[in-house]
Amino acid sequence: MASFDDRERRLEEHRQTPRGIDRGLRDRFFGALEQHDRVAAESGKETLRGQFERLATEWAHDRSHRIWNDVHKRNLFVGRLRSLLAETSISALEPDLIILDEFQRFKELLEGDSGPAQLAHSMFNYADEHSRARVLLLSATPYKMYTLSEESVEDDHYSDFIRTTEFLMDGDTASFATDLNEFRHRLLTVDPANTVDLRLVKKRVEGALSQVMCRTERLAATEDRSGMLTEIDDGPATVTDDDLIGYVALDRAADALDSRGMIEYWKSAPYFSNFWQGYHGGQRFETEVESHTETAATVRNLLATGNGTIPWKDLVGFQRLDPGNGRLRLLAGDTIDKGAWSLLWLAPSLPYYRLGKPFDQSETADLTKRLVFSAWAAVPRAVSSILSYDAERRMVTAQGEPRYMNVSEERARVAEPLPLPNSTTSGMTALSLLYPSPTLAELGDPLTIGRQVRGETGRIPTRPMRSVISTSGSGNDLDLKSRLLPEGRGLPDRHRGGGGDPIWEDTPGNELKSGDLSHVF
């Protein structure tokens, strides 16, 4: 494996190597310029050369004091040249396969007459005498069957689906659209005793779609085609009386704010009113609060008395907080309740050595990451806030009563930073916890040591590391610094003169000795 020095040297050589413009690309660009000006001249329009000469004359003097219109004309000219160069570059690229990953983020490129869309289509439609480019759209986001009334105006899932099929079918979607409409009609008017026509139109829709799209899953990785996945049924989510009371309070508050459709938010995010920033209801509430209206007071009262918000008193006192949502209860029971709050990180799947507490507990040993998917922006805020609070609550109450209150003043009192050395060697113990030394990392590589001991038991050998430290016994502390520096490539110039970084400063009482790091081993 190349060292950092080797990579840095090659990068510097690459930067210093003189490079000219690709001759083929240059010739194509010049040809495109001549073709553009030829067409412009035949149609009586100003050529690019004419625009350049006119702008060069106008900008020959007094470039620092130009009105906005002059700057705008110059920018338009530069933009035309860049667009022409981009089109030329596409032809030079000669693409065979174009892949758009998560293509739903680039919907504007699949349609429309904008500059980026036209440029993208010139690449999509590239062809030469041998072949034509193929386009592959990838996405792990399924299309929704319908659009909810409370979703934004831009979210029209059916129209998005139709536009995507038009792109994939090169616009030839007349028969497909007819079959899709007929399929919808027959689903709504289906006769259970006669489904022949429904099945026929369904087959036609499937046949048309299978020509341009497919669904691929990683199933063949195992013999049973399980995709290395195990389905775990957590059972139905529980809905408590307080949950229903909270929904009623949220619905009444939304009604007072002239905001509707709270059912989907309530099902997804607990205590939604605490996390509704950016939503219509939240924006209306902020407006009412700023105006000190009676509506604001009414909404506050409805939410506070109806389990619609997180109780502030309980939050400050680190009291137990009900998740407020059936799905979140399942997630908390599968993570926090199993001891995840006691882990700074997940236990390694293949540990180098036998783990101790709390990683050796049966419930925490099998914990893995959880992915939570939701269409609502409030869900990540709600889930992370409530689960993080519950984890911290268990930490501060592990010995009984909370050690401090959940307010910023008391948090600042207990959140002491890790002390690092200033002008003495007393803080070197803390430094060793963070010290990024490639030399020590290489000598203490558990894989290398594991190959050496071949399964033998006993302490990890420390002789190689001790030998590095012992080199300072001859008084050559500067050499020790050079070998252990994070850069791993010698002592920087600022340290050779004794100035700069206080950790390595060569002043009396602050020299780095072998004993300063001996506790690490």
Side-chain angles (χ1 to χ4, degrees):
M1 181 180 294
S3 67
F4 178 82
D5 285 341
D6 293 334
R7 283 193 287 266
E8 187 180 43
R9 175 179 51 77
R10 289 199 298 268
L11 179 60
E12 188 62 28
E13 292 175 353
H14 177 78
R15 290 173 176 170
Q16 295 179 359
T17 302
R19 287 177 174 79
I21 299 175
D22 181 84
R23 181 172 297 180
L25 182 59
R26 181 194 62 185
D27 293 342
R28 286 190 180 95
F29 181 53
F30 286 168
L33 284 173
E34 293 175 357
Q35 175 67 16
H36 180 280
D37 280 6
R38 188 182 305 114
V39 173
E42 292 174 355
S43 60
K45 297 180 180 179
E46 186 179 18
T47 63
L48 288 174
R49 176 174 289 278
Q51 293 180 43
F52 172 76
E53 293 175 348
R54 173 174 53 80
L55 289 171
T57 302
E58 294 176 357
W59 284 76
H61 305 286
D62 192 20
R63 298 186 180 185
S64 58
H65 299 88
R66 309 296 301 192
I67 62 176
W68 179 87
N69 192 45
D70 291 343
V71 176
H72 182 61
K73 291 179 180 178
R74 181 199 62 181
N75 293 345
L76 285 178
F77 173 73
V78 174
R80 293 190 185 98
L81 290 179
R82 288 177 174 174
S83 297
L84 195 60
L85 177 60
E87 295 172 6
T88 305
S89 300
I90 289 177
S91 63
L93 184 64
E94 300 179 354
D96 296 314
L97 177 63
I98 303 163
I99 301 176
L100 271 68
D101 193 14
E102 298 295 343
F103 74 90
Q104 72 276 5
R105 301 180 181 178
F106 313 105
K107 293 184 293 186
E108 67 279 0
L109 297 181
L110 303 184
E111 58 178 312
D113 299 325
S114 64
Q118 293 179 359
L119 188 61
H121 277 267
S122 65
M123 182 168 62
F124 298 154
N125 299 327
Y126 173 82
D128 56 26
E129 63 274 14
H130 303 294
S131 63
R132 61 185 296 266
R134 296 292 190 266
V135 181
L136 176 62
L137 306 182
L138 301 177
S139 178
T141 304
Y143 279 102
K144 294 183 178 180
M145 295 179 62
Y146 50 83
T147 304
L148 300 174
S149 60
E150 59 265 23
E151 294 187 67
S152 63
V153 178
E154 294 80 10
D155 290 329
D156 189 339
H157 307 302
Y158 178 77
S159 298
D160 285 346
F161 176 72
I162 293 299
R163 285 193 292 267
T164 301
T165 56
E166 288 178 350
F167 173 80
L168 295 174
M169 297 178 182
D170 291 329
D172 186 16
T173 57
S175 59
F176 170 74
T178 300
D179 288 338
L180 195 61
N181 287 330
E182 182 182 353
F183 182 52
R184 176 180 182 276
H185 173 73
R186 292 190 179 279
L187 280 175
L188 296 175
T189 60
V190 62
D191 180 3
N194 183 10
T195 61
V196 176
D197 293 337
L198 174 61
R199 293 179 182 274
L200 287 175
V201 69
K202 171 180 174 289
K203 188 174 182 179
R204 291 201 301 269
V205 171
E206 290 177 341
L209 291 177
S210 64
Q211 297 298 313
V212 294
M213 66 177 61
C214 66
R215 176 175 176 173
T216 304
E217 297 180 353
R218 300 175 182 176
L219 298 178
T222 55
E223 293 183 0
D224 60 354
R225 299 186 65 81
S226 66
M228 297 183 293
L229 300 176
T230 301
E231 183 175 353
I232 299 176
D233 185 6
D234 293 320
T238 59
V239 179
T240 66
D241 294 344
D242 287 341
D243 292 345
L244 298 176
I245 294 173
Y247 169 69
V248 172
L250 179 63
D251 188 60
R252 289 177 177 175
D255 186 63
L257 295 168
D258 195 24
S259 182
R260 302 290 187 273
M262 290 289 128
I263 184 67
E264 292 297 327
Y265 303 141
W266 171 78
K267 290 193 299 184
S268 300
Y271 306 105
F272 178 69
S273 61
N274 286 103
F275 307 99
W276 63 3
Q277 298 89 341
Y279 289 85
H280 181 262
Q283 294 172 343
R284 290 296 304 271
F285 181 63
E286 291 177 2
T287 301
E288 298 293 340
V289 170
E290 292 173 356
S291 302
H292 303 284
T293 64
E294 184 178 345
T295 301
T298 301
V299 170
R300 279 199 182 100
N301 183 63
L302 285 170
L303 295 173
T305 59
N307 297 328
T309 58
I310 297 175
W312 179 251
K313 183 179 179 181
D314 293 345
L315 194 70
V316 170
F318 278 117
Q319 300 301 308
R320 184 184 180 281
L321 181 66
D322 184 83
N325 178 279
R327 295 171 179 171
L328 189 56
R329 287 191 192 92
L330 291 176
L331 181 60
D334 198 36
T335 54
I336 301 293
D337 292 345
K338 289 186 176 181
W341 64 272
S342 63
L343 306 179
L344 286 176
W345 49 77
L346 291 178
S349 301
L350 298 173
Y352 293 122
Y353 43 83
R354 185 172 62 253
L355 302 177
K357 293 182 179 180
F359 298 100
D360 61 347
Q361 306 300 311
S362 58
E363 290 187 329
T364 58
D366 297 330
L367 280 175
T368 59
K369 293 181 180 179
R370 301 293 190 272
L371 294 179
V372 179
F373 293 91
S374 177
W376 309 116
V379 172
R381 297 197 295 263
V383 171
S384 60
S385 297
I386 293 176
L387 292 186
S388 296
Y389 166 80
D390 194 27
E392 184 178 8
R393 179 188 67 82
R394 298 185 187 223
M395 295 177 194
V396 300
T397 60
Q399 304 299 326
E401 293 296 320
R403 295 184 290 112
Y404 57 91
M405 301 297 287
N406 190 17
V407 293
S408 57
E409 295 80 5
E410 297 205 21
R411 282 177 169 277
R413 177 175 57 82
V414 298
E416 297 179 359
L418 184 67
L420 291 176
N422 293 319
S423 59
T424 66
T425 59
S426 61
M428 297 302 290
T429 302
L431 175 64
S432 65
L433 298 176
L434 309 173
Y435 186 62
S437 171
T439 300
L440 298 182
E442 181 179 354
L443 293 173
D445 181 12
L447 284 178
T448 302
I449 295 173
R451 296 189 188 101
Q452 294 174 353
V453 299
R454 297 285 184 180
E456 297 177 9
T457 60
R459 293 186 60 190
I460 294 177
T462 60
R463 288 185 298 276
M465 291 183 282
R466 288 186 182 278
S467 65
V468 173
I469 300 302
S470 65
T471 59
S472 65
S474 59
N476 190 5
D477 293 332
L478 193 63
D479 179 66
L480 173 63
K481 297 178 187 180
S482 176
R483 300 179 65 182
L484 297 184
L485 273 177
E487 291 87 345
R489 52 179 180 176
L491 202 64
D493 292 338
R494 64 179 182 275
H495 298 301
R496 299 186 186 280
D501 195 333
I503 294 178
W504 301 109
E505 190 172 358
D506 295 315
T507 56
N510 194 36
E511 297 87 353
L512 178 63
K513 302 293 185 181
S514 61
D516 295 332
L517 293 176
S518 61
H519 61 278
V520 180
F521 318 109

mmCIF file of all heavy atoms in Angstrom, residues 158 162 165-166 169 171-184 200-209 211:
data_model
loop_
_atom_site.group_PDB
_atom_site.id
_atom_site.type_symbol
_atom_site.label_atom_id
_atom_site.label_comp_id
_atom_site.label_asym_id
_atom_site.label_seq_id
_atom_site.Cartn_x
_atom_site.Cartn_y
_atom_site.Cartn_z
ATOM 1 N N TYR A 158 -48.808 10.042 -9.426
ATOM 2 C CA TYR A 158 -49.301 9.444 -10.665
ATOM 3 C C TYR A 158 -48.707 10.143 -11.877
ATOM 4 O O TYR A 158 -48.235 9.502 -12.826
ATOM 5 C CB TYR A 158 -50.827 9.498 -10.715
ATOM 6 C CG TYR A 158 -51.411 8.950 -11.993
ATOM 7 C CD1 TYR A 158 -51.497 7.567 -12.196
ATOM 8 C CD2 TYR A 158 -51.862 9.797 -13.002
ATOM 9 C CE1 TYR A 158 -52.019 7.053 -13.373
ATOM 10 C CE2 TYR A 158 -52.390 9.296 -14.177
ATOM 11 C CZ TYR A 158 -52.462 7.926 -14.362
ATOM 12 O OH TYR A 158 -52.979 7.415 -15.528
ATOM 13 N N ILE A 162 -46.295 8.629 -14.879
ATOM 14 C CA ILE A 162 -46.619 8.719 -16.307
ATOM 15 C C ILE A 162 -45.485 9.400 -17.066
ATOM 16 O O ILE A 162 -45.095 8.973 -18.165
ATOM 17 C CB ILE A 162 -47.948 9.463 -16.511
ATOM 18 C CG1 ILE A 162 -49.109 8.643 -15.943
ATOM 19 C CG2 ILE A 162 -48.176 9.761 -17.985
ATOM 20 C CD1 ILE A 162 -49.291 7.295 -16.598
ATOM 21 N N THR A 165 -42.627 6.934 -17.560
ATOM 22 C CA THR A 165 -42.909 5.954 -18.618
ATOM 23 C C THR A 165 -42.828 6.597 -19.998
ATOM 24 O O THR A 165 -42.382 5.947 -20.962
ATOM 25 C CB THR A 165 -44.291 5.317 -18.412
ATOM 26 O OG1 THR A 165 -45.297 6.350 -18.360
ATOM 27 C CG2 THR A 165 -44.334 4.524 -17.128
ATOM 28 N N GLU A 166 -43.227 7.850 -20.118
ATOM 29 C CA GLU A 166 -43.101 8.541 -21.407
ATOM 30 C C GLU A 166 -41.639 8.659 -21.819
ATOM 31 O O GLU A 166 -41.297 8.501 -22.989
ATOM 32 C CB GLU A 166 -43.744 9.933 -21.323
ATOM 33 C CG GLU A 166 -45.260 9.905 -21.259
ATOM 34 C CD GLU A 166 -45.850 11.300 -21.133
ATOM 35 O OE1 GLU A 166 -45.062 12.251 -20.903
ATOM 36 O OE2 GLU A 166 -47.073 11.450 -21.260
ATOM 37 N N MET A 169 -40.405 5.100 -22.754
ATOM 38 C CA MET A 169 -41.010 4.584 -23.980
ATOM 39 C C MET A 169 -40.833 5.538 -25.153
ATOM 40 O O MET A 169 -41.504 5.381 -26.186
ATOM 41 C CB MET A 169 -42.503 4.325 -23.740
ATOM 42 C CG MET A 169 -42.792 3.270 -22.698
ATOM 43 S SD MET A 169 -44.573 3.054 -22.418
ATOM 44 C CE MET A 169 -44.569 1.812 -21.129
ATOM 45 N N GLY A 171 -41.881 8.454 -25.596
ATOM 46 C CA GLY A 171 -43.100 9.200 -25.915
ATOM 47 C C GLY A 171 -44.215 8.373 -26.502
ATOM 48 O O GLY A 171 -45.335 8.870 -26.679
ATOM 49 N N ASP A 172 -43.974 7.123 -26.827
ATOM 50 C CA ASP A 172 -44.991 6.271 -27.435
ATOM 51 C C ASP A 172 -45.797 5.591 -26.338
ATOM 52 O O ASP A 172 -45.654 4.389 -26.069
ATOM 53 C CB ASP A 172 -44.322 5.236 -28.343
ATOM 54 C CG ASP A 172 -45.343 4.402 -29.117
ATOM 55 O OD1 ASP A 172 -46.516 4.827 -29.182
ATOM 56 O OD2 ASP A 172 -44.955 3.337 -29.646
ATOM 57 N N THR A 173 -46.676 6.348 -25.691
ATOM 58 C CA THR A 173 -47.411 5.829 -24.533
ATOM 59 C C THR A 173 -48.922 5.888 -24.714
ATOM 60 O O THR A 173 -49.659 5.727 -23.749
ATOM 61 C CB THR A 173 -47.040 6.643 -23.283
ATOM 62 O OG1 THR A 173 -47.333 8.038 -23.517
ATOM 63 C CG2 THR A 173 -45.568 6.496 -22.940
ATOM 64 N N ALA A 174 -49.391 6.116 -25.913
ATOM 65 C CA ALA A 174 -50.837 6.272 -26.120
ATOM 66 C C ALA A 174 -51.585 4.992 -25.730
ATOM 67 O O ALA A 174 -52.548 5.025 -24.954
ATOM 68 C CB ALA A 174 -51.116 6.630 -27.582
ATOM 69 N N SER A 175 -51.139 3.847 -26.257
ATOM 70 C CA SER A 175 -51.838 2.599 -25.947
ATOM 71 C C SER A 175 -51.656 2.220 -24.475
ATOM 72 O O SER A 175 -52.581 1.696 -23.845
ATOM 73 C CB SER A 175 -51.319 1.468 -26.837
ATOM 74 O OG SER A 175 -49.921 1.279 -26.651
ATOM 75 N N PHE A 176 -50.460 2.496 -23.915
ATOM 76 C CA PHE A 176 -50.235 2.178 -22.503
ATOM 77 C C PHE A 176 -51.144 3.015 -21.616
ATOM 78 O O PHE A 176 -51.736 2.487 -20.656
ATOM 79 C CB PHE A 176 -48.769 2.437 -22.149
ATOM 80 C CG PHE A 176 -48.498 2.375 -20.672
ATOM 81 C CD1 PHE A 176 -48.477 1.156 -20.004
ATOM 82 C CD2 PHE A 176 -48.280 3.536 -19.936
ATOM 83 C CE1 PHE A 176 -48.249 1.097 -18.637
ATOM 84 C CE2 PHE A 176 -48.039 3.475 -18.573
ATOM 85 C CZ PHE A 176 -48.022 2.259 -17.922
ATOM 86 N N ALA A 177 -51.295 4.309 -21.904
ATOM 87 C CA ALA A 177 -52.163 5.169 -21.097
ATOM 88 C C ALA A 177 -53.609 4.712 -21.180
ATOM 89 O O ALA A 177 -54.338 4.722 -20.175
ATOM 90 C CB ALA A 177 -52.036 6.620 -21.562
ATOM 91 N N THR A 178 -54.024 4.265 -22.365
ATOM 92 C CA THR A 178 -55.395 3.759 -22.523
ATOM 93 C C THR A 178 -55.607 2.508 -21.681
ATOM 94 O O THR A 178 -56.618 2.371 -20.979
ATOM 95 C CB THR A 178 -55.678 3.464 -23.996
ATOM 96 O OG1 THR A 178 -55.521 4.664 -24.761
ATOM 97 C CG2 THR A 178 -57.098 2.940 -24.174
ATOM 98 N N ASP A 179 -54.662 1.585 -21.740
ATOM 99 C CA ASP A 179 -54.781 0.353 -20.960
ATOM 100 C C ASP A 179 -54.746 0.647 -19.461
ATOM 101 O O ASP A 179 -55.471 0.003 -18.679
ATOM 102 C CB ASP A 179 -53.636 -0.601 -21.315
ATOM 103 C CG ASP A 179 -53.797 -1.205 -22.697
ATOM 104 O OD1 ASP A 179 -54.936 -1.229 -23.202
ATOM 105 O OD2 ASP A 179 -52.779 -1.640 -23.267
ATOM 106 N N LEU A 180 -53.932 1.595 -19.047
ATOM 107 C CA LEU A 180 -53.837 1.918 -17.624
ATOM 108 C C LEU A 180 -55.149 2.514 -17.121
ATOM 109 O O LEU A 180 -55.618 2.170 -16.020
ATOM 110 C CB LEU A 180 -52.687 2.899 -17.389
ATOM 111 C CG LEU A 180 -52.227 3.062 -15.937
ATOM 112 C CD1 LEU A 180 -51.717 1.735 -15.377
ATOM 113 C CD2 LEU A 180 -51.128 4.129 -15.835
ATOM 114 N N ASN A 181 -55.766 3.381 -17.905
ATOM 115 C CA ASN A 181 -57.061 3.950 -17.515
ATOM 116 C C ASN A 181 -58.146 2.871 -17.486
ATOM 117 O O ASN A 181 -59.002 2.853 -16.587
ATOM 118 C CB ASN A 181 -57.462 5.065 -18.494
ATOM 119 C CG ASN A 181 -56.633 6.317 -18.289
ATOM 120 O OD1 ASN A 181 -56.182 6.607 -17.181
ATOM 121 N ND2 ASN A 181 -56.430 7.068 -19.363
ATOM 122 N N GLU A 182 -58.110 1.961 -18.452
ATOM 123 C CA GLU A 182 -59.092 0.874 -18.463
ATOM 124 C C GLU A 182 -58.891 -0.046 -17.265
ATOM 125 O O GLU A 182 -59.863 -0.522 -16.660
ATOM 126 C CB GLU A 182 -58.982 0.088 -19.768
ATOM 127 C CG GLU A 182 -60.012 -1.037 -19.874
ATOM 128 C CD GLU A 182 -59.875 -1.844 -21.151
ATOM 129 O OE1 GLU A 182 -59.068 -1.452 -22.018
ATOM 130 O OE2 GLU A 182 -60.561 -2.893 -21.260
ATOM 131 N N PHE A 183 -57.623 -0.297 -16.918
ATOM 132 C CA PHE A 183 -57.320 -1.143 -15.767
ATOM 133 C C PHE A 183 -57.890 -0.523 -14.488
ATOM 134 O O PHE A 183 -58.491 -1.219 -13.658
ATOM 135 C CB PHE A 183 -55.811 -1.319 -15.653
ATOM 136 C CG PHE A 183 -55.375 -2.209 -14.526
ATOM 137 C CD1 PHE A 183 -55.907 -3.480 -14.360
ATOM 138 C CD2 PHE A 183 -54.435 -1.771 -13.616
ATOM 139 C CE1 PHE A 183 -55.508 -4.304 -13.324
ATOM 140 C CE2 PHE A 183 -54.022 -2.584 -12.570
ATOM 141 C CZ PHE A 183 -54.560 -3.852 -12.427
ATOM 142 N N ARG A 184 -57.722 0.777 -14.325
ATOM 143 C CA ARG A 184 -58.267 1.462 -13.139
ATOM 144 C C ARG A 184 -59.792 1.350 -13.123
ATOM 145 O O ARG A 184 -60.394 1.069 -12.077
ATOM 146 C CB ARG A 184 -57.843 2.929 -13.148
ATOM 147 C CG ARG A 184 -58.430 3.744 -12.005
ATOM 148 C CD ARG A 184 -57.969 5.197 -12.093
ATOM 149 N NE ARG A 184 -58.492 5.973 -10.984
ATOM 150 C CZ ARG A 184 -59.695 6.536 -10.948
ATOM 151 N NH1 ARG A 184 -60.521 6.366 -11.986
ATOM 152 N NH2 ARG A 184 -60.105 7.225 -9.898
ATOM 153 N N LEU A 200 -57.003 -9.602 -18.556
ATOM 154 C CA LEU A 200 -56.422 -9.322 -19.865
ATOM 155 C C LEU A 200 -55.765 -7.947 -19.914
ATOM 156 O O LEU A 200 -54.640 -7.803 -20.405
ATOM 157 C CB LEU A 200 -57.504 -9.425 -20.946
ATOM 158 C CG LEU A 200 -57.989 -10.843 -21.286
ATOM 159 C CD1 LEU A 200 -59.135 -10.789 -22.284
ATOM 160 C CD2 LEU A 200 -56.841 -11.683 -21.842
ATOM 161 N N VAL A 201 -56.465 -6.937 -19.404
ATOM 162 C CA VAL A 201 -55.895 -5.588 -19.435
ATOM 163 C C VAL A 201 -54.727 -5.491 -18.463
ATOM 164 O O VAL A 201 -53.749 -4.770 -18.712
ATOM 165 C CB VAL A 201 -56.978 -4.530 -19.138
ATOM 166 C CG1 VAL A 201 -57.438 -4.602 -17.695
ATOM 167 C CG2 VAL A 201 -56.458 -3.123 -19.456
ATOM 168 N N LYS A 202 -54.808 -6.212 -17.360
ATOM 169 C CA LYS A 202 -53.689 -6.254 -16.418
ATOM 170 C C LYS A 202 -52.445 -6.830 -17.098
ATOM 171 O O LYS A 202 -51.316 -6.307 -16.925
ATOM 172 C CB LYS A 202 -54.053 -7.104 -15.204
ATOM 173 C CG LYS A 202 -52.882 -7.408 -14.253
ATOM 174 C CD LYS A 202 -53.355 -8.255 -13.094
ATOM 175 C CE LYS A 202 -52.192 -8.699 -12.205
ATOM 176 N NZ LYS A 202 -51.348 -9.706 -12.889
ATOM 177 N N LYS A 203 -52.633 -7.880 -17.895
ATOM 178 C CA LYS A 203 -51.503 -8.497 -18.589
ATOM 179 C C LYS A 203 -50.896 -7.539 -19.605
ATOM 180 O O LYS A 203 -49.677 -7.501 -19.795
ATOM 181 C CB LYS A 203 -51.972 -9.787 -19.266
ATOM 182 C CG LYS A 203 -50.840 -10.605 -19.861
ATOM 183 C CD LYS A 203 -51.360 -11.932 -20.383
ATOM 184 C CE LYS A 203 -50.192 -12.768 -20.934
ATOM 185 N NZ LYS A 203 -50.677 -14.087 -21.433
ATOM 186 N N ARG A 204 -51.740 -6.743 -20.286
ATOM 187 C CA ARG A 204 -51.225 -5.780 -21.260
ATOM 188 C C ARG A 204 -50.403 -4.693 -20.568
ATOM 189 O O ARG A 204 -49.343 -4.282 -21.060
ATOM 190 C CB ARG A 204 -52.369 -5.150 -22.040
ATOM 191 C CG ARG A 204 -53.072 -6.110 -22.981
ATOM 192 C CD ARG A 204 -53.824 -5.361 -24.067
ATOM 193 N NE ARG A 204 -54.822 -4.461 -23.529
ATOM 194 C CZ ARG A 204 -56.085 -4.783 -23.298
ATOM 195 N NH1 ARG A 204 -56.498 -6.033 -23.536
ATOM 196 N NH2 ARG A 204 -56.950 -3.893 -22.837
ATOM 197 N N VAL A 205 -50.865 -4.205 -19.405
ATOM 198 C CA VAL A 205 -50.126 -3.186 -18.653
ATOM 199 C C VAL A 205 -48.780 -3.745 -18.193
ATOM 200 O O VAL A 205 -47.735 -3.078 -18.318
ATOM 201 C CB VAL A 205 -50.955 -2.692 -17.451
ATOM 202 C CG1 VAL A 205 -50.111 -1.808 -16.538
ATOM 203 C CG2 VAL A 205 -52.176 -1.916 -17.933
ATOM 204 N N GLU A 206 -48.799 -4.957 -17.653
ATOM 205 C CA GLU A 206 -47.553 -5.577 -17.200
ATOM 206 C C GLU A 206 -46.586 -5.793 -18.361
ATOM 207 O O GLU A 206 -45.371 -5.571 -18.225
ATOM 208 C CB GLU A 206 -47.849 -6.916 -16.523
ATOM 209 C CG GLU A 206 -48.537 -6.792 -15.186
ATOM 210 C CD GLU A 206 -48.874 -8.144 -14.583
ATOM 211 O OE1 GLU A 206 -48.897 -9.137 -15.345
ATOM 212 O OE2 GLU A 206 -49.112 -8.210 -13.372
ATOM 213 N N GLY A 207 -47.103 -6.195 -19.502
ATOM 214 C CA GLY A 207 -46.246 -6.421 -20.658
ATOM 215 C C GLY A 207 -45.572 -5.151 -21.138
ATOM 216 O O GLY A 207 -44.392 -5.156 -21.498
ATOM 217 N N ALA A 208 -46.336 -4.045 -21.140
ATOM 218 C CA ALA A 208 -45.756 -2.770 -21.572
ATOM 219 C C ALA A 208 -44.676 -2.299 -20.602
ATOM 220 O O ALA A 208 -43.605 -1.833 -21.012
ATOM 221 C CB ALA A 208 -46.855 -1.720 -21.701
ATOM 222 N N LEU A 209 -44.929 -2.434 -19.301
ATOM 223 C CA LEU A 209 -43.957 -1.969 -18.307
ATOM 224 C C LEU A 209 -42.724 -2.852 -18.262
ATOM 225 O O LEU A 209 -41.609 -2.367 -18.034
ATOM 226 C CB LEU A 209 -44.617 -1.916 -16.922
ATOM 227 C CG LEU A 209 -45.690 -0.838 -16.724
ATOM 228 C CD1 LEU A 209 -46.301 -0.944 -15.326
ATOM 229 C CD2 LEU A 209 -45.098 0.546 -16.925
ATOM 230 N N GLN A 211 -41.152 -4.110 -20.568
ATOM 231 C CA GLN A 211 -40.226 -3.794 -21.644
ATOM 232 C C GLN A 211 -39.232 -2.706 -21.264
ATOM 233 O O GLN A 211 -38.159 -2.595 -21.880
ATOM 234 C CB GLN A 211 -41.013 -3.346 -22.889
ATOM 235 C CG GLN A 211 -41.927 -4.402 -23.468
ATOM 236 C CD GLN A 211 -41.162 -5.620 -23.934
ATOM 237 O OE1 GLN A 211 -40.143 -5.493 -24.628
ATOM 238 N NE2 GLN A 211 -41.644 -6.801 -23.582
#
